[in-house]
mmCIF file with all atom_site columns, all heavy atoms in Angstrom:
data_model
loop_
_atom_site.group_PDB
_atom_site.id
_atom_site.type_symbol
_atom_site.label_atom_id
_atom_site.label_alt_id
_atom_site.label_comp_id
_atom_site.label_asym_id
_atom_site.label_entity_id
_atom_site.label_seq_id
_atom_site.pdbx_PDB_ins_code
_atom_site.Cartn_x
_atom_site.Cartn_y
_atom_site.Cartn_z
_atom_site.occupancy
_atom_site.B_iso_or_equiv
_atom_site.pdbx_formal_charge
_atom_site.auth_seq_id
_atom_site.auth_comp_id
_atom_site.auth_asym_id
_atom_site.auth_atom_id
_atom_site.pdbx_PDB_model_num
ATOM 1   N N   . VAL A 1 1  ? 20.231 20.298 -6.564  1.00 96.00 ? 1  VAL A N   1
ATOM 2   C CA  . VAL A 1 1  ? 21.010 19.403 -7.419  1.00 96.00 ? 1  VAL A CA  1
ATOM 3   C C   . VAL A 1 1  ? 22.323 20.093 -7.771  1.00 96.00 ? 1  VAL A C   1
ATOM 4   O O   . VAL A 1 1  ? 22.366 21.293 -8.023  1.00 96.00 ? 1  VAL A O   1
ATOM 5   C CB  . VAL A 1 1  ? 20.205 19.019 -8.683  1.00 96.00 ? 1  VAL A CB  1
ATOM 6   C CG1 . VAL A 1 1  ? 19.820 20.230 -9.508  1.00 96.00 ? 1  VAL A CG1 1
ATOM 7   C CG2 . VAL A 1 1  ? 20.949 18.004 -9.536  1.00 96.00 ? 1  VAL A CG2 1
ATOM 8   N N   . SER A 1 2  ? 23.407 19.319 -7.764  1.00 93.00 ? 2  SER A N   1
ATOM 9   C CA  . SER A 1 2  ? 24.721 19.860 -8.117  1.00 93.00 ? 2  SER A CA  1
ATOM 10  C C   . SER A 1 2  ? 24.770 20.222 -9.595  1.00 93.00 ? 2  SER A C   1
ATOM 11  O O   . SER A 1 2  ? 23.883 19.849 -10.381 1.00 93.00 ? 2  SER A O   1
ATOM 12  C CB  . SER A 1 2  ? 25.801 18.824 -7.791  1.00 93.00 ? 2  SER A CB  1
ATOM 13  O OG  . SER A 1 2  ? 25.621 17.662 -8.609  1.00 93.00 ? 2  SER A OG  1
ATOM 14  N N   . TRP A 1 3  ? 25.816 20.942 -9.995  1.00 90.00 ? 3  TRP A N   1
ATOM 15  C CA  . TRP A 1 3  ? 25.889 21.419 -11.365 1.00 90.00 ? 3  TRP A CA  1
ATOM 16  C C   . TRP A 1 3  ? 25.883 20.275 -12.371 1.00 90.00 ? 3  TRP A C   1
ATOM 17  O O   . TRP A 1 3  ? 25.323 20.385 -13.464 1.00 90.00 ? 3  TRP A O   1
ATOM 18  C CB  . TRP A 1 3  ? 27.148 22.274 -11.565 1.00 90.00 ? 3  TRP A CB  1
ATOM 19  C CG  . TRP A 1 3  ? 28.414 21.487 -11.559 1.00 90.00 ? 3  TRP A CG  1
ATOM 20  C CD1 . TRP A 1 3  ? 29.199 21.180 -10.482 1.00 90.00 ? 3  TRP A CD1 1
ATOM 21  C CD2 . TRP A 1 3  ? 29.043 20.877 -12.687 1.00 90.00 ? 3  TRP A CD2 1
ATOM 22  N NE1 . TRP A 1 3  ? 30.261 20.418 -10.860 1.00 90.00 ? 3  TRP A NE1 1
ATOM 23  C CE2 . TRP A 1 3  ? 30.193 20.217 -12.219 1.00 90.00 ? 3  TRP A CE2 1
ATOM 24  C CE3 . TRP A 1 3  ? 28.745 20.811 -14.048 1.00 90.00 ? 3  TRP A CE3 1
ATOM 25  C CZ2 . TRP A 1 3  ? 31.041 19.526 -13.059 1.00 90.00 ? 3  TRP A CZ2 1
ATOM 26  C CZ3 . TRP A 1 3  ? 29.599 20.114 -14.897 1.00 90.00 ? 3  TRP A CZ3 1
ATOM 27  C CH2 . TRP A 1 3  ? 30.723 19.493 -14.394 1.00 90.00 ? 3  TRP A CH2 1
ATOM 28  N N   . SER A 1 4  ? 26.475 19.135 -11.992 1.00 91.00 ? 4  SER A N   1
ATOM 29  C CA  . SER A 1 4  ? 26.545 18.002 -12.915 1.00 91.00 ? 4  SER A CA  1
ATOM 30  C C   . SER A 1 4  ? 25.304 17.120 -12.854 1.00 91.00 ? 4  SER A C   1
ATOM 31  O O   . SER A 1 4  ? 25.102 16.279 -13.735 1.00 91.00 ? 4  SER A O   1
ATOM 32  C CB  . SER A 1 4  ? 27.764 17.153 -12.588 1.00 91.00 ? 4  SER A CB  1
ATOM 33  O OG  . SER A 1 4  ? 27.613 16.544 -11.317 1.00 91.00 ? 4  SER A OG  1
ATOM 34  N N   . GLY A 1 5  ? 24.510 17.305 -11.825 1.00 90.00 ? 5  GLY A N   1
ATOM 35  C CA  . GLY A 1 5  ? 23.345 16.443 -11.629 1.00 90.00 ? 5  GLY A CA  1
ATOM 36  C C   . GLY A 1 5  ? 23.664 15.172 -10.870 1.00 90.00 ? 5  GLY A C   1
ATOM 37  O O   . GLY A 1 5  ? 22.762 14.377 -10.606 1.00 90.00 ? 5  GLY A O   1
ATOM 38  N N   . SER A 1 6  ? 24.914 14.989 -10.499 1.00 92.00 ? 6  SER A N   1
ATOM 39  C CA  . SER A 1 6  ? 25.317 13.736 -9.864  1.00 92.00 ? 6  SER A CA  1
ATOM 40  C C   . SER A 1 6  ? 24.962 13.681 -8.387  1.00 92.00 ? 6  SER A C   1
ATOM 41  O O   . SER A 1 6  ? 24.882 12.596 -7.812  1.00 92.00 ? 6  SER A O   1
ATOM 42  C CB  . SER A 1 6  ? 26.825 13.528 -10.033 1.00 92.00 ? 6  SER A CB  1
ATOM 43  O OG  . SER A 1 6  ? 27.543 14.561 -9.397  1.00 92.00 ? 6  SER A OG  1
ATOM 44  N N   . ARG A 1 7  ? 24.774 14.847 -7.776  1.00 94.00 ? 7  ARG A N   1
ATOM 45  C CA  . ARG A 1 7  ? 24.413 14.882 -6.349  1.00 94.00 ? 7  ARG A CA  1
ATOM 46  C C   . ARG A 1 7  ? 23.094 15.611 -6.166  1.00 94.00 ? 7  ARG A C   1
ATOM 47  O O   . ARG A 1 7  ? 22.878 16.678 -6.744  1.00 94.00 ? 7  ARG A O   1
ATOM 48  C CB  . ARG A 1 7  ? 25.511 15.569 -5.540  1.00 94.00 ? 7  ARG A CB  1
ATOM 49  C CG  . ARG A 1 7  ? 26.820 14.796 -5.501  1.00 94.00 ? 7  ARG A CG  1
ATOM 50  C CD  . ARG A 1 7  ? 27.801 15.441 -4.549  1.00 94.00 ? 7  ARG A CD  1
ATOM 51  N NE  . ARG A 1 7  ? 28.142 16.805 -4.924  1.00 94.00 ? 7  ARG A NE  1
ATOM 52  C CZ  . ARG A 1 7  ? 29.013 17.135 -5.856  1.00 94.00 ? 7  ARG A CZ  1
ATOM 53  N NH1 . ARG A 1 7  ? 29.670 16.197 -6.514  1.00 94.00 ? 7  ARG A NH1 1
ATOM 54  N NH2 . ARG A 1 7  ? 29.268 18.392 -6.128  1.00 94.00 ? 7  ARG A NH2 1
ATOM 55  N N   . THR A 1 8  ? 22.240 15.008 -5.376  1.00 96.00 ? 8  THR A N   1
ATOM 56  C CA  . THR A 1 8  ? 20.946 15.615 -5.073  1.00 96.00 ? 8  THR A CA  1
ATOM 57  C C   . THR A 1 8  ? 20.747 15.659 -3.560  1.00 96.00 ? 8  THR A C   1
ATOM 58  O O   . THR A 1 8  ? 21.309 14.847 -2.823  1.00 96.00 ? 8  THR A O   1
ATOM 59  C CB  . THR A 1 8  ? 19.799 14.834 -5.725  1.00 96.00 ? 8  THR A CB  1
ATOM 60  O OG1 . THR A 1 8  ? 19.855 13.457 -5.298  1.00 96.00 ? 8  THR A OG1 1
ATOM 61  C CG2 . THR A 1 8  ? 19.877 14.897 -7.247  1.00 96.00 ? 8  THR A CG2 1
ATOM 62  N N   . TYR A 1 9  ? 19.943 16.608 -3.131  1.00 96.00 ? 9  TYR A N   1
ATOM 63  C CA  . TYR A 1 9  ? 19.694 16.848 -1.717  1.00 96.00 ? 9  TYR A CA  1
ATOM 64  C C   . TYR A 1 9  ? 18.201 17.091 -1.537  1.00 96.00 ? 9  TYR A C   1
ATOM 65  O O   . TYR A 1 9  ? 17.581 17.770 -2.359  1.00 96.00 ? 9  TYR A O   1
ATOM 66  C CB  . TYR A 1 9  ? 20.462 18.083 -1.239  1.00 96.00 ? 9  TYR A CB  1
ATOM 67  C CG  . TYR A 1 9  ? 21.921 18.094 -1.641  1.00 96.00 ? 9  TYR A CG  1
ATOM 68  C CD1 . TYR A 1 9  ? 22.304 18.516 -2.912  1.00 96.00 ? 9  TYR A CD1 1
ATOM 69  C CD2 . TYR A 1 9  ? 22.918 17.680 -0.761  1.00 96.00 ? 9  TYR A CD2 1
ATOM 70  C CE1 . TYR A 1 9  ? 23.647 18.522 -3.290  1.00 96.00 ? 9  TYR A CE1 1
ATOM 71  C CE2 . TYR A 1 9  ? 24.255 17.686 -1.126  1.00 96.00 ? 9  TYR A CE2 1
ATOM 72  C CZ  . TYR A 1 9  ? 24.609 18.103 -2.395  1.00 96.00 ? 9  TYR A CZ  1
ATOM 73  O OH  . TYR A 1 9  ? 25.932 18.113 -2.770  1.00 96.00 ? 9  TYR A OH  1
ATOM 74  N N   . TYR A 1 10 ? 17.640 16.558 -0.468  1.00 97.00 ? 10 TYR A N   1
ATOM 75  C CA  . TYR A 1 10 ? 16.203 16.685 -0.242  1.00 97.00 ? 10 TYR A CA  1
ATOM 76  C C   . TYR A 1 10 ? 15.900 16.992 1.214   1.00 97.00 ? 10 TYR A C   1
ATOM 77  O O   . TYR A 1 10 ? 16.587 16.528 2.118   1.00 97.00 ? 10 TYR A O   1
ATOM 78  C CB  . TYR A 1 10 ? 15.486 15.380 -0.610  1.00 97.00 ? 10 TYR A CB  1
ATOM 79  C CG  . TYR A 1 10 ? 15.567 15.028 -2.067  1.00 97.00 ? 10 TYR A CG  1
ATOM 80  C CD1 . TYR A 1 10 ? 16.539 14.157 -2.550  1.00 97.00 ? 10 TYR A CD1 1
ATOM 81  C CD2 . TYR A 1 10 ? 14.674 15.577 -2.987  1.00 97.00 ? 10 TYR A CD2 1
ATOM 82  C CE1 . TYR A 1 10 ? 16.622 13.834 -3.898  1.00 97.00 ? 10 TYR A CE1 1
ATOM 83  C CE2 . TYR A 1 10 ? 14.745 15.268 -4.334  1.00 97.00 ? 10 TYR A CE2 1
ATOM 84  C CZ  . TYR A 1 10 ? 15.731 14.394 -4.782  1.00 97.00 ? 10 TYR A CZ  1
ATOM 85  O OH  . TYR A 1 10 ? 15.802 14.088 -6.118  1.00 97.00 ? 10 TYR A OH  1
ATOM 86  N N   . ALA A 1 11 ? 14.832 17.749 1.407   1.00 97.00 ? 11 ALA A N   1
ATOM 87  C CA  . ALA A 1 11 ? 14.278 17.890 2.749   1.00 97.00 ? 11 ALA A CA  1
ATOM 88  C C   . ALA A 1 11 ? 13.633 16.573 3.144   1.00 97.00 ? 11 ALA A C   1
ATOM 89  O O   . ALA A 1 11 ? 13.092 15.853 2.287   1.00 97.00 ? 11 ALA A O   1
ATOM 90  C CB  . ALA A 1 11 ? 13.247 19.011 2.766   1.00 97.00 ? 11 ALA A CB  1
ATOM 91  N N   . ASP A 1 12 ? 13.658 16.268 4.424   1.00 97.00 ? 12 ASP A N   1
ATOM 92  C CA  . ASP A 1 12 ? 13.070 15.013 4.887   1.00 97.00 ? 12 ASP A CA  1
ATOM 93  C C   . ASP A 1 12 ? 11.593 14.915 4.529   1.00 97.00 ? 12 ASP A C   1
ATOM 94  O O   . ASP A 1 12 ? 11.085 13.827 4.262   1.00 97.00 ? 12 ASP A O   1
ATOM 95  C CB  . ASP A 1 12 ? 13.238 14.889 6.401   1.00 97.00 ? 12 ASP A CB  1
ATOM 96  C CG  . ASP A 1 12 ? 14.681 14.587 6.800   1.00 97.00 ? 12 ASP A CG  1
ATOM 97  O OD1 . ASP A 1 12 ? 15.479 14.165 5.927   1.00 97.00 ? 12 ASP A OD1 1
ATOM 98  O OD2 . ASP A 1 12 ? 15.005 14.785 7.991   1.00 97.00 ? 12 ASP A OD2 1
ATOM 99  N N   . SER A 1 13 ? 10.914 16.050 4.501   1.00 97.00 ? 13 SER A N   1
ATOM 100 C CA  . SER A 1 13 ? 9.472  16.056 4.265   1.00 97.00 ? 13 SER A CA  1
ATOM 101 C C   . SER A 1 13 ? 9.098  15.624 2.843   1.00 97.00 ? 13 SER A C   1
ATOM 102 O O   . SER A 1 13 ? 7.943  15.264 2.603   1.00 97.00 ? 13 SER A O   1
ATOM 103 C CB  . SER A 1 13 ? 8.897  17.436 4.555   1.00 97.00 ? 13 SER A CB  1
ATOM 104 O OG  . SER A 1 13 ? 9.514  18.410 3.727   1.00 97.00 ? 13 SER A OG  1
ATOM 105 N N   . VAL A 1 14 ? 10.051 15.670 1.914   1.00 98.00 ? 14 VAL A N   1
ATOM 106 C CA  . VAL A 1 14 ? 9.722  15.328 0.523   1.00 98.00 ? 14 VAL A CA  1
ATOM 107 C C   . VAL A 1 14 ? 10.509 14.119 0.021   1.00 98.00 ? 14 VAL A C   1
ATOM 108 O O   . VAL A 1 14 ? 10.267 13.643 -1.092  1.00 98.00 ? 14 VAL A O   1
ATOM 109 C CB  . VAL A 1 14 ? 9.955  16.520 -0.423  1.00 98.00 ? 14 VAL A CB  1
ATOM 110 C CG1 . VAL A 1 14 ? 9.205  17.744 0.068   1.00 98.00 ? 14 VAL A CG1 1
ATOM 111 C CG2 . VAL A 1 14 ? 11.433 16.821 -0.598  1.00 98.00 ? 14 VAL A CG2 1
ATOM 112 N N   . LYS A 1 15 ? 11.442 13.642 0.832   1.00 98.00 ? 15 LYS A N   1
ATOM 113 C CA  . LYS A 1 15 ? 12.284 12.532 0.410   1.00 98.00 ? 15 LYS A CA  1
ATOM 114 C C   . LYS A 1 15 ? 11.428 11.319 0.063   1.00 98.00 ? 15 LYS A C   1
ATOM 115 O O   . LYS A 1 15 ? 10.521 10.950 0.808   1.00 98.00 ? 15 LYS A O   1
ATOM 116 C CB  . LYS A 1 15 ? 13.271 12.197 1.528   1.00 98.00 ? 15 LYS A CB  1
ATOM 117 C CG  . LYS A 1 15 ? 14.539 11.515 1.079   1.00 98.00 ? 15 LYS A CG  1
ATOM 118 C CD  . LYS A 1 15 ? 15.527 11.419 2.223   1.00 98.00 ? 15 LYS A CD  1
ATOM 119 C CE  . LYS A 1 15 ? 16.072 12.762 2.632   1.00 98.00 ? 15 LYS A CE  1
ATOM 120 N NZ  . LYS A 1 15 ? 17.096 12.666 3.690   1.00 98.00 ? 15 LYS A NZ  1
ATOM 121 N N   . GLY A 1 16 ? 11.710 10.717 -1.083  1.00 98.00 ? 16 GLY A N   1
ATOM 122 C CA  . GLY A 1 16 ? 10.950 9.562  -1.540  1.00 98.00 ? 16 GLY A CA  1
ATOM 123 C C   . GLY A 1 16 ? 9.723  9.916  -2.361  1.00 98.00 ? 16 GLY A C   1
ATOM 124 O O   . GLY A 1 16 ? 9.128  9.044  -3.006  1.00 98.00 ? 16 GLY A O   1
ATOM 125 N N   . ARG A 1 17 ? 9.322  11.175 -2.345  1.00 98.00 ? 17 ARG A N   1
ATOM 126 C CA  . ARG A 1 17 ? 8.159  11.620 -3.133  1.00 98.00 ? 17 ARG A CA  1
ATOM 127 C C   . ARG A 1 17 ? 8.546  12.566 -4.252  1.00 98.00 ? 17 ARG A C   1
ATOM 128 O O   . ARG A 1 17 ? 7.918  12.565 -5.312  1.00 98.00 ? 17 ARG A O   1
ATOM 129 C CB  . ARG A 1 17 ? 7.135  12.310 -2.217  1.00 98.00 ? 17 ARG A CB  1
ATOM 130 C CG  . ARG A 1 17 ? 6.604  11.435 -1.111  1.00 98.00 ? 17 ARG A CG  1
ATOM 131 C CD  . ARG A 1 17 ? 5.464  12.116 -0.360  1.00 98.00 ? 17 ARG A CD  1
ATOM 132 N NE  . ARG A 1 17 ? 5.891  13.354 0.299   1.00 98.00 ? 17 ARG A NE  1
ATOM 133 C CZ  . ARG A 1 17 ? 5.349  14.547 0.062   1.00 98.00 ? 17 ARG A CZ  1
ATOM 134 N NH1 . ARG A 1 17 ? 4.370  14.669 -0.803  1.00 98.00 ? 17 ARG A NH1 1
ATOM 135 N NH2 . ARG A 1 17 ? 5.785  15.618 0.711   1.00 98.00 ? 17 ARG A NH2 1
ATOM 136 N N   . PHE A 1 18 ? 9.546  13.404 -4.007  1.00 98.00 ? 18 PHE A N   1
ATOM 137 C CA  . PHE A 1 18 ? 9.976  14.397 -4.993  1.00 98.00 ? 18 PHE A CA  1
ATOM 138 C C   . PHE A 1 18 ? 11.318 13.983 -5.588  1.00 98.00 ? 18 PHE A C   1
ATOM 139 O O   . PHE A 1 18 ? 12.156 13.385 -4.914  1.00 98.00 ? 18 PHE A O   1
ATOM 140 C CB  . PHE A 1 18 ? 10.150 15.770 -4.341  1.00 98.00 ? 18 PHE A CB  1
ATOM 141 C CG  . PHE A 1 18 ? 8.864  16.431 -3.908  1.00 98.00 ? 18 PHE A CG  1
ATOM 142 C CD1 . PHE A 1 18 ? 7.657  15.768 -3.874  1.00 98.00 ? 18 PHE A CD1 1
ATOM 143 C CD2 . PHE A 1 18 ? 8.888  17.762 -3.496  1.00 98.00 ? 18 PHE A CD2 1
ATOM 144 C CE1 . PHE A 1 18 ? 6.494  16.385 -3.460  1.00 98.00 ? 18 PHE A CE1 1
ATOM 145 C CE2 . PHE A 1 18 ? 7.736  18.400 -3.078  1.00 98.00 ? 18 PHE A CE2 1
ATOM 146 C CZ  . PHE A 1 18 ? 6.535  17.717 -3.059  1.00 98.00 ? 18 PHE A CZ  1
ATOM 147 N N   . THR A 1 19 ? 11.515 14.350 -6.856  1.00 98.00 ? 19 THR A N   1
ATOM 148 C CA  . THR A 1 19 ? 12.787 14.090 -7.522  1.00 98.00 ? 19 THR A CA  1
ATOM 149 C C   . THR A 1 19 ? 13.226 15.336 -8.268  1.00 98.00 ? 19 THR A C   1
ATOM 150 O O   . THR A 1 19 ? 12.470 15.881 -9.082  1.00 98.00 ? 19 THR A O   1
ATOM 151 C CB  . THR A 1 19 ? 12.667 12.927 -8.518  1.00 98.00 ? 19 THR A CB  1
ATOM 152 O OG1 . THR A 1 19 ? 12.219 11.750 -7.838  1.00 98.00 ? 19 THR A OG1 1
ATOM 153 C CG2 . THR A 1 19 ? 14.017 12.635 -9.164  1.00 98.00 ? 19 THR A CG2 1
ATOM 154 N N   . ILE A 1 20 ? 14.452 15.773 -7.991  1.00 98.00 ? 20 ILE A N   1
ATOM 155 C CA  . ILE A 1 20 ? 15.007 16.923 -8.690  1.00 98.00 ? 20 ILE A CA  1
ATOM 156 C C   . ILE A 1 20 ? 15.977 16.423 -9.751  1.00 98.00 ? 20 ILE A C   1
ATOM 157 O O   . ILE A 1 20 ? 16.704 15.442 -9.545  1.00 98.00 ? 20 ILE A O   1
ATOM 158 C CB  . ILE A 1 20 ? 15.706 17.900 -7.715  1.00 98.00 ? 20 ILE A CB  1
ATOM 159 C CG1 . ILE A 1 20 ? 16.087 19.204 -8.423  1.00 98.00 ? 20 ILE A CG1 1
ATOM 160 C CG2 . ILE A 1 20 ? 16.917 17.255 -7.058  1.00 98.00 ? 20 ILE A CG2 1
ATOM 161 C CD1 . ILE A 1 20 ? 16.551 20.304 -7.470  1.00 98.00 ? 20 ILE A CD1 1
ATOM 162 N N   . SER A 1 21 ? 15.970 17.097 -10.890 1.00 97.00 ? 21 SER A N   1
ATOM 163 C CA  . SER A 1 21 ? 16.887 16.740 -11.964 1.00 97.00 ? 21 SER A CA  1
ATOM 164 C C   . SER A 1 21 ? 17.176 17.987 -12.787 1.00 97.00 ? 21 SER A C   1
ATOM 165 O O   . SER A 1 21 ? 16.512 19.011 -12.616 1.00 97.00 ? 21 SER A O   1
ATOM 166 C CB  . SER A 1 21 ? 16.301 15.637 -12.849 1.00 97.00 ? 21 SER A CB  1
ATOM 167 O OG  . SER A 1 21 ? 15.099 16.082 -13.464 1.00 97.00 ? 21 SER A OG  1
ATOM 168 N N   . ARG A 1 22 ? 18.156 17.893 -13.665 1.00 95.00 ? 22 ARG A N   1
ATOM 169 C CA  . ARG A 1 22 ? 18.482 19.052 -14.498 1.00 95.00 ? 22 ARG A CA  1
ATOM 170 C C   . ARG A 1 22 ? 18.930 18.586 -15.869 1.00 95.00 ? 22 ARG A C   1
ATOM 171 O O   . ARG A 1 22 ? 19.459 17.486 -16.038 1.00 95.00 ? 22 ARG A O   1
ATOM 172 C CB  . ARG A 1 22 ? 19.554 19.906 -13.836 1.00 95.00 ? 22 ARG A CB  1
ATOM 173 C CG  . ARG A 1 22 ? 20.903 19.270 -13.725 1.00 95.00 ? 22 ARG A CG  1
ATOM 174 C CD  . ARG A 1 22 ? 21.832 20.120 -12.834 1.00 95.00 ? 22 ARG A CD  1
ATOM 175 N NE  . ARG A 1 22 ? 22.063 21.441 -13.398 1.00 95.00 ? 22 ARG A NE  1
ATOM 176 C CZ  . ARG A 1 22 ? 22.542 22.463 -12.688 1.00 95.00 ? 22 ARG A CZ  1
ATOM 177 N NH1 . ARG A 1 22 ? 22.809 22.302 -11.387 1.00 95.00 ? 22 ARG A NH1 1
ATOM 178 N NH2 . ARG A 1 22 ? 22.747 23.625 -13.266 1.00 95.00 ? 22 ARG A NH2 1
ATOM 179 N N   . ASP A 1 23 ? 18.717 19.472 -16.837 1.00 94.00 ? 23 ASP A N   1
ATOM 180 C CA  . ASP A 1 23 ? 19.171 19.255 -18.200 1.00 94.00 ? 23 ASP A CA  1
ATOM 181 C C   . ASP A 1 23 ? 19.977 20.496 -18.573 1.00 94.00 ? 23 ASP A C   1
ATOM 182 O O   . ASP A 1 23 ? 19.404 21.535 -18.932 1.00 94.00 ? 23 ASP A O   1
ATOM 183 C CB  . ASP A 1 23 ? 17.981 19.070 -19.134 1.00 94.00 ? 23 ASP A CB  1
ATOM 184 C CG  . ASP A 1 23 ? 18.394 18.744 -20.559 1.00 94.00 ? 23 ASP A CG  1
ATOM 185 O OD1 . ASP A 1 23 ? 19.539 19.013 -20.940 1.00 94.00 ? 23 ASP A OD1 1
ATOM 186 O OD2 . ASP A 1 23 ? 17.547 18.229 -21.299 1.00 94.00 ? 23 ASP A OD2 1
ATOM 187 N N   . ASN A 1 24 ? 21.284 20.401 -18.477 1.00 92.00 ? 24 ASN A N   1
ATOM 188 C CA  . ASN A 1 24 ? 22.124 21.576 -18.719 1.00 92.00 ? 24 ASN A CA  1
ATOM 189 C C   . ASN A 1 24 ? 22.109 22.013 -20.182 1.00 92.00 ? 24 ASN A C   1
ATOM 190 O O   . ASN A 1 24 ? 22.357 23.185 -20.481 1.00 92.00 ? 24 ASN A O   1
ATOM 191 C CB  . ASN A 1 24 ? 23.556 21.304 -18.259 1.00 92.00 ? 24 ASN A CB  1
ATOM 192 C CG  . ASN A 1 24 ? 23.690 21.336 -16.743 1.00 92.00 ? 24 ASN A CG  1
ATOM 193 O OD1 . ASN A 1 24 ? 22.858 21.912 -16.047 1.00 92.00 ? 24 ASN A OD1 1
ATOM 194 N ND2 . ASN A 1 24 ? 24.720 20.691 -16.223 1.00 92.00 ? 24 ASN A ND2 1
ATOM 195 N N   . ALA A 1 25 ? 21.814 21.107 -21.071 1.00 93.00 ? 25 ALA A N   1
ATOM 196 C CA  . ALA A 1 25 ? 21.707 21.486 -22.484 1.00 93.00 ? 25 ALA A CA  1
ATOM 197 C C   . ALA A 1 25 ? 20.526 22.435 -22.698 1.00 93.00 ? 25 ALA A C   1
ATOM 198 O O   . ALA A 1 25 ? 20.533 23.234 -23.643 1.00 93.00 ? 25 ALA A O   1
ATOM 199 C CB  . ALA A 1 25 ? 21.550 20.249 -23.345 1.00 93.00 ? 25 ALA A CB  1
ATOM 200 N N   . LYS A 1 26 ? 19.529 22.338 -21.831 1.00 93.00 ? 26 LYS A N   1
ATOM 201 C CA  . LYS A 1 26 ? 18.350 23.196 -21.925 1.00 93.00 ? 26 LYS A CA  1
ATOM 202 C C   . LYS A 1 26 ? 18.336 24.269 -20.838 1.00 93.00 ? 26 LYS A C   1
ATOM 203 O O   . LYS A 1 26 ? 17.362 25.019 -20.726 1.00 93.00 ? 26 LYS A O   1
ATOM 204 C CB  . LYS A 1 26 ? 17.073 22.354 -21.818 1.00 93.00 ? 26 LYS A CB  1
ATOM 205 C CG  . LYS A 1 26 ? 16.897 21.356 -22.945 1.00 93.00 ? 26 LYS A CG  1
ATOM 206 C CD  . LYS A 1 26 ? 15.598 20.576 -22.787 1.00 93.00 ? 26 LYS A CD  1
ATOM 207 C CE  . LYS A 1 26 ? 15.413 19.597 -23.940 1.00 93.00 ? 26 LYS A CE  1
ATOM 208 N NZ  . LYS A 1 26 ? 14.150 18.825 -23.798 1.00 93.00 ? 26 LYS A NZ  1
ATOM 209 N N   . ASN A 1 27 ? 19.389 24.320 -20.014 1.00 93.00 ? 27 ASN A N   1
ATOM 210 C CA  . ASN A 1 27 ? 19.454 25.293 -18.905 1.00 93.00 ? 27 ASN A CA  1
ATOM 211 C C   . ASN A 1 27 ? 18.202 25.209 -18.037 1.00 93.00 ? 27 ASN A C   1
ATOM 212 O O   . ASN A 1 27 ? 17.646 26.234 -17.634 1.00 93.00 ? 27 ASN A O   1
ATOM 213 C CB  . ASN A 1 27 ? 19.617 26.723 -19.438 1.00 93.00 ? 27 ASN A CB  1
ATOM 214 C CG  . ASN A 1 27 ? 20.916 26.925 -20.190 1.00 93.00 ? 27 ASN A CG  1
ATOM 215 O OD1 . ASN A 1 27 ? 21.908 26.244 -19.923 1.00 93.00 ? 27 ASN A OD1 1
ATOM 216 N ND2 . ASN A 1 27 ? 20.908 27.834 -21.148 1.00 93.00 ? 27 ASN A ND2 1
ATOM 217 N N   . THR A 1 28 ? 17.762 24.006 -17.753 1.00 95.00 ? 28 THR A N   1
ATOM 218 C CA  . THR A 1 28 ? 16.497 23.802 -17.048 1.00 95.00 ? 28 THR A CA  1
ATOM 219 C C   . THR A 1 28 ? 16.670 22.786 -15.920 1.00 95.00 ? 28 THR A C   1
ATOM 220 O O   . THR A 1 28 ? 17.368 21.779 -16.089 1.00 95.00 ? 28 THR A O   1
ATOM 221 C CB  . THR A 1 28 ? 15.411 23.329 -18.018 1.00 95.00 ? 28 THR A CB  1
ATOM 222 O OG1 . THR A 1 28 ? 15.230 24.313 -19.048 1.00 95.00 ? 28 THR A OG1 1
ATOM 223 C CG2 . THR A 1 28 ? 14.082 23.130 -17.292 1.00 95.00 ? 28 THR A CG2 1
ATOM 224 N N   . VAL A 1 29 ? 16.020 23.085 -14.800 1.00 96.00 ? 29 VAL A N   1
ATOM 225 C CA  . VAL A 1 29 ? 15.950 22.147 -13.689 1.00 96.00 ? 29 VAL A CA  1
ATOM 226 C C   . VAL A 1 29 ? 14.484 21.787 -13.451 1.00 96.00 ? 29 VAL A C   1
ATOM 227 O O   . VAL A 1 29 ? 13.595 22.602 -13.686 1.00 96.00 ? 29 VAL A O   1
ATOM 228 C CB  . VAL A 1 29 ? 16.586 22.743 -12.408 1.00 96.00 ? 29 VAL A CB  1
ATOM 229 C CG1 . VAL A 1 29 ? 15.825 23.966 -11.931 1.00 96.00 ? 29 VAL A CG1 1
ATOM 230 C CG2 . VAL A 1 29 ? 16.679 21.714 -11.307 1.00 96.00 ? 29 VAL A CG2 1
#
């Protein structure tokens, strides 16, 4: 996931099943 959370990237093997996100206020992904 990009620093802003606006862009995400996935391996084909997990696309549609996994979701990445981040909360910069909590320094957590």
